[in-house]
Amino acid sequence: MGCRSCPRRWLVLVDQFDAFLIDLDGVVYVDDEPLPGALDALVALRRRGRWVRFVTNDPRPTREELVDRLSRIGVAATVDEIVSSGWATARWLRQQNITHVHVLGSRGLEYELRMQGLDTDSATTVEAVVVGCDEDLTYRDVRQASSLICAGARFVATNLDATFPTTDGPWPATGAIVAAIATASGKRPVVIGKPGPEMFRLALKDLPTGTKAAVVGDTVATDVVGAHRAGLPAIFIPPYPLADRSEWFGRAPAPNIPEVVVASLADLFDSAVGTLRHQPMPFPWPNEVRAGVAAVVVDATGRILLGRRADNGMWALPSGHVEVGETIAQAAVREVAEETGLHVRVKRLVGVYSDPVSQVFTYSDGRVTHFVTACLACNPIGGRLRADGVETTEVGFFPPSQLPAPLLPMHPGWLSDAASGRTGILDGAGQDREAFSTSGR
């Protein structure tokens, strides 16, 4: 789909959407040079009555400066059509009731912060350190920002782009600076720009309810993933020629797979280019990916060890995090002991599971974690069976045909793999296999 060699002709992209949220660098221009077809396409979009919003992760210029920059290359735009990561960050800080900030960034970023009523000159009180792109960065700047964060100031980044495109090739951008401060402070920032959904929400804020919008960008990690996090389809303009556009299609939906790939903005009007139906991600966006472990503990009579989880009331295999310095076998032994009181010996690996639909968990503090879980087959060798009252409220051994309900949805597949004796590295949670028998319970 979307391949020019396909005989089918599609409804052109411009007629499928009411609004287009368009990245600037690499889509409209590089440096101050407009990209082929971009100017005519933008004029044609407006003639068709489409809303246009320019959504850029560049935190250096003000929105007024971006309007002037577009005007110089022949693109008409208003300030209200510009959503920059600097402006979005200023808006977010005000929503958090933060008023005193230390800025590591451009004069344009400072201007956007001040326009939202933020104090950027405080010599004593600093509630947040705001990091953008600073082409005059010094070691002293990194040291001061790290010290303030370690002293308790919030760490806020306008974006995490590692580079930005120039005619001389990619140059270091905000992400490179953020990485230095994160390394020095040992803290992770709150990130406002793409791929976070906040900028897309701001872009759509003043448009009518029900507006059909698409994101157009040239970076998978920010534009494509950001679009999907915001529940929007992504039109991808690769920064390099693709030998075969069909390489992006025929794959399972994923956050980093665009709905359609085009060569330039001009392709929005090309009837040979189609789009795929957008499928929103069926899981919340994780804040982190962590290594997990689960244990299939089977006693001498073939019964399976399960515990009722205190956090959700569901029955589950003993499971948890792999801590720093542990092997997965050590983690499995520890988790079983902590949750059930039993000592076990690890026999073999059942499988490694990473399906995000079943293995993304939202905690009471709002943190969302995606687990990549190693499941291990184990035998009990001692200890005293008991629930710990913290992670488990009940524990027990159950015959495979009489497993208690409700059971965590991915665990029947893991039990099926354990029963079959096979070992594998798996993407899913056993959906393509018959679930482990739970009849007669």
Side-chain angles (χ1 to χ4, degrees), residues 286-308:
N287 304 112
E288 59 182 356
V289 177
R290 295 198 62 176
V293 66
V296 178
V297 182
V298 181
D299 69 8
T301 65
R303 296 180 304 166
I304 298 163
L305 177 63
L306 296 173
R308 186 188 289 273

Side-chain angles (χ1 to χ4, degrees), residues 292-329:
V293 66
V296 178
V297 182
V298 181
D299 69 8
T301 65
R303 296 180 304 166
I304 298 163
L305 177 63
L306 296 173
R308 186 188 289 273
R309 297 182 61 90
D311 55 359
N312 58 25
M314 301 186 75
W315 288 89
L317 299 169
S319 59
H321 309 104
V322 178
E323 302 295 350
V324 174
E326 285 186 322
T327 66
I328 58 173

Side-chain angles (χ1 to χ4, degrees), residues 1 8-9 25 33 110 189 196 251 333 345 349 395 407 412:
M1 290 184 171
R8 180 176 179 178
R9 290 296 178 263
D25 286 296
E33 294 295 324
E110 289 191 34
R251 299 168 63 181
V333 170
R345 178 180 292 114
L349 175 69
V395 293
L407 191 66

Side-chain angles (χ1 to χ4, degrees), residues 157-384:
T158 58
N159 63 295
L160 288 182
D161 293 50
T163 62
F164 62 88
T166 76
T167 53
D168 295 326
W171 285 13
T174 305
I177 301 169
V178 170
I181 297 171
T183 300
S185 67
K187 305 291 185 180
R188 292 183 180 181
V190 175
V191 183
I192 307 303
K194 300 180 289 185
E198 182 62 23
M199 291 179 64
F200 300 108
R201 294 190 188 119
L202 287 172
L204 295 172
K205 185 175 182 293
D206 296 326
L207 298 182
T209 302
T211 295
K212 293 181 180 180
V215 174
V216 186
D218 70 319
T219 306
V220 169
T222 56
D223 299 309
V224 175
V225 174
H228 292 165
R229 287 185 67 180
L232 301 169
I235 300 171
F236 180 55
I237 299 178
Y240 50 86
L242 288 179
D244 180 9
R245 293 186 185 190
S246 64
E247 68 184 81
W248 284 93
F249 301 97
R251 299 168 63 181
N256 62 347
I257 305 297
E259 275 68 25
V260 68
V261 180
V262 299
S264 71
L265 285 176
D267 280 352
L268 298 179
F269 302 86
D270 189 338
S271 61
V273 177
T275 187
L276 299 176
R277 179 186 296 275
H278 174 57
Q279 299 183 24
M281 291 188 295
F283 55 88
W285 187 257
N287 304 112
E288 59 182 356
V289 177
R290 295 198 62 176
V293 66
V296 178
V297 182
V298 181
D299 69 8
T301 65
R303 296 180 304 166
I304 298 163
L305 177 63
L306 296 173
R308 186 188 289 273
R309 297 182 61 90
D311 55 359
N312 58 25
M314 301 186 75
W315 288 89
L317 299 169
S319 59
H321 309 104
V322 178
E323 302 295 350
V324 174
E326 285 186 322
T327 66
I328 58 173
Q330 290 169 334
V333 170
R334 175 183 53 77
E335 286 290 346
V336 174
E338 290 176 352
E339 295 181 18
T340 73
L342 295 185
H343 306 309
V344 298
R345 178 180 292 114
V346 174
K347 293 177 56 182
R348 66 180 182 87
L349 175 69
V350 173
V352 179
Y353 305 86
S354 62
D355 173 53
V357 176
S358 62
Q359 288 183 252
V360 169
F361 295 90
T362 302
Y363 293 92
S364 58
D365 61 1
R367 180 170 44 93
V368 182
T369 300
H370 177 191
F371 284 99
V372 177
T373 301
C375 185
L376 302 172
C378 307
N379 289 136
I381 57 174
R384 179 181 177 185

